[in-house]
Amino acid sequence: MINIVLFGPPGSGKGTQAQNLIEKFNLKQISTGDLFRHNIKNETELGTLAKSYMDKGELVPDQVTIDMLVDELKKPTQAAGFIFDGFPRTAKQTEALETIVQDVLGDKIDLCLALVVEDETLVGRLLKRGETSGRSDDADEGIIRNRIKEYYAKTAEVAELYKQQGKYVEVNGVGEISEISEKLYAEIEKIK
Ligand code: ADP
């Protein structure tokens, strides 16, 4: 299996690139943001809880997010591996992911691919996405800036953990979508 963490701040293009990677390598994407939005749409208890954090641009509590991820990972799949998009977002989630992948799949995380984009570009992209996405967390610049703040406060340290394990690679997230994909493909080919 190939198990990849796709990493980067909000608006760095994780979702877009994940789409290309799943096709190229027959992977299954697990996006915690998408899973939360699915729960919000279906008005589940988990959705109501998640929404109260997401609408402020804050992270949903770790244990709630981890439990949801475990449920998703247990679903049978024919995929050749996983892309984790939007998870892990804290040090605690990073440790949990290692354990979960080991326990559920008998496997490990191979690589953390980080998309690098500077903050003002992120804000611009997210405001633009908000014009059409219907996402309440994209509609307001204050919420967007808070998401970026949360990223530096809680999520940036995830990169350090993968660096220590020698699994961290940065790719410039600005440019043509296909060019960025090619760079990501090349990094995955190296570890195959
Ligand atoms: P983006 O990467 O564009 O910020 P996501 O769809 O990944 O968007 O996440 C949207 C929101 O969902 C986050 O701001 C956060 O509130 C919540 N969320 C997603 N993943 C996690 C996670 N791993 N831990 C905690 N909260 C999360």
Side-chain angles (χ1 to χ4, degrees):
M1 285 192 119
I2 323 172
N3 299 308
I4 290 165
V5 169
L6 198 52
F7 188 75
S12 57
K14 299 186 293 289
T16 306
Q17 293 301 333
Q19 278 312 311
N20 289 345
L21 293 173
I22 58 177
E23 282 173 31
K24 175 88 177 166
F25 297 103
N26 182 30
L27 303 174
K28 180 176 176 184
Q29 174 193 15
I30 298 188
S31 159
T32 41
D34 287 350
L35 290 171
F36 285 134
R37 280 185 289 277
H38 183 76
N39 276 279
I40 291 171
K41 200 167 150 231
N42 291 308
E43 298 178 345
T44 68
E45 210 174 304
L46 172 64
T48 308
L49 178 71
K51 189 170 166 34
S52 66
Y53 293 92
M54 289 166 77
D55 281 352
K56 288 184 274 184
E58 293 172 8
L59 295 185
V60 179
D62 280 332
Q63 204 53 53
V64 176
T65 311
I66 291 166
D67 291 347
M68 178 178 74
L69 184 98
V70 172
D71 287 346
E72 195 60 26
L73 207 59
K74 282 184 176 163
K75 293 182 181 166
T77 174
Q78 302 295 320
F82 288 87
I83 293 187
F84 297 93
D85 159 9
F87 190 100
R89 262 179 152 97
T90 64
K92 185 171 173 205
Q93 292 181 13
T94 310
E95 285 163 30
L97 183 61
E98 209 59 50
T99 311
I100 296 162
V101 169
Q102 176 63 47
D103 290 355
V104 179
L105 307 174
D107 213 319
K108 60 176 178 12
I109 296 296
D110 297 296
L111 190 60
C112 173
L113 285 173
L115 293 166
V116 181
V117 179
E118 56 114 13
D119 292 357
E120 292 314 307
T121 307
L122 298 172
V123 175
R125 283 185 183 180
L126 292 170
L127 280 171
K128 187 147 187 291
R129 184 171 77 184
E131 291 169 11
T132 53
S133 69
R135 274 178 61 167
S136 47
D137 59 347
D138 285 346
D140 179 285
E141 186 167 340
I143 297 172
I144 289 174
R145 292 207 180 265
N146 200 43
R147 284 157 64 197
I148 295 174
K149 201 170 129 215
E150 283 276 89
Y151 171 81
Y152 286 110
K154 298 178 183 162
T155 306
E157 66 181 6
V158 170
E160 291 307 314
L161 296 171
Y162 285 115
K163 269 183 208 165
Q164 284 166 19
Q165 298 175 30
K167 293 179 183 170
Y168 181 81
V169 177
E170 285 185 347
V171 165
N172 182 358
V174 182
E176 290 290 326
I177 290 171
S178 59
E179 279 172 20
I180 300 166
S181 298
E182 291 296 336
K183 289 185 217 158
L184 296 173
Y185 299 162
E187 294 301 332
I188 295 173
E189 292 293 351
K190 283 186 201 166
I191 59 147
K192 269 180 84 184

